[in-house]
Amino acid sequence: MRTLVFDIETGEDRAYTSRDDFLDRLVADCKAPSNWKKQDLIDQEILRQVTAKRERLALSPATGRVIAIAWGLLDDEQVQVQTGPEPEILRAFFNALDGTRVVLAGFNVRQFDMPFLAVRAAILDIAMPHWWPHARDYRFVADARDVLEDGKLDDWLHRFDLPAKTGSGDQAQHMQPQQLRDYVEHDVRVERLLLRRLERALPAIRDNRNA
């Protein structure tokens, strides 16, 4: 069975977050301590909380969207990159393997990338491929985080003497189109190198290689 290494980049879903009712809901969830009396301090605290929430909108599938996906087989050197309208990105990735069952692999994909894709597909009413792993079915998911529980990806790339990342995910939505494509492609290339080093420690790859 083939292993597919992938990585997504996300940005704020401004078509949703620019709605007046969304901002009202965002502000309504922010509160200052009940014993505060000075209105200017209360207003500053609410503004601080709103700003902090806005900075994290791209990290939730409820308020963010997929702006890029890159993927490539573990045993290959090619990487495919898809950007553009979100529905096109999702369909391109879901159709990439013509329905072939794969092991999905990456860094923190179980906690972030996979749930994000599943929820965005549901919001956009896009069918998931039949080979997509069921929730909490880890037989076909190889996440480097299963072994490398602490630390950021760049820290582990440095420890394994592998090439560094070329940016950070929070910068992705502000990148120019070609810069975004290069960034997400590079992420898959370095994650693939890391996964190759961890292959014997990840049962989903090791046990399914000859399946």
Side-chain angles (χ1 to χ4, degrees), residues 28 47 62 72 108 133 204:
L47 178 60
N108 205 34

Side-chain angles (χ1 to χ4, degrees), residues 29-55:
D29 286 338
C30 299
K31 308 214 181 282
S34 59
N35 62 336
W36 286 20
K37 304 303 181 184
K38 292 187 177 181
Q39 189 60 47
D40 59 335
L41 294 180
I42 293 174
D43 292 343
Q44 290 176 24
E45 174 59 18
I46 291 175
L47 178 60
R48 184 195 67 78
Q49 293 180 29
V50 169
T51 301
K53 286 177 178 289
R54 293 204 73 100
E55 290 175 349

Side-chain angles (χ1 to χ4, degrees), residues 134-205:
H134 294 292
R136 298 182 178 83
D137 182 355
Y138 301 157
R139 294 172 299 168
F140 302 107
V141 180
D143 194 329
R145 274 287 191 201
D146 293 344
V147 181
L148 312 175
E149 296 182 359
D150 298 317
K152 296 184 292 187
L153 174 58
D154 221 21
D155 297 330
W156 286 111
L157 293 173
H158 184 269
R159 183 62 187 87
F160 279 85
D161 293 323
L162 296 172
K165 286 169 59 69
T166 57
S168 62
D170 58 356
Q171 301 168 341
Q173 63 180 325
H174 306 298
M175 294 178 180
Q176 296 299 312
Q178 189 57 52
Q179 183 185 12
L180 175 62
R181 293 179 64 87
D182 292 344
Y183 170 67
V184 69
E185 177 182 341
H186 182 76
D187 263 13
V188 166
R189 292 190 181 279
V190 295
E191 287 178 23
R192 182 162 55 191
L193 293 173
L194 181 62
L195 287 161
R196 287 173 180 171
R197 298 284 290 274
L198 297 172
E199 178 176 345
R200 284 170 290 186
L202 295 170
I205 298 177

Side-chain angles (χ1 to χ4, degrees), residues 9-24:
E9 300 303 332
T10 64
E12 181 182 339
D13 183 4
R14 292 186 177 88
Y16 177 68
T17 61
S18 62
R19 289 167 31 176
D20 291 340
D21 60 338
F22 171 78
L23 182 58
D24 291 341

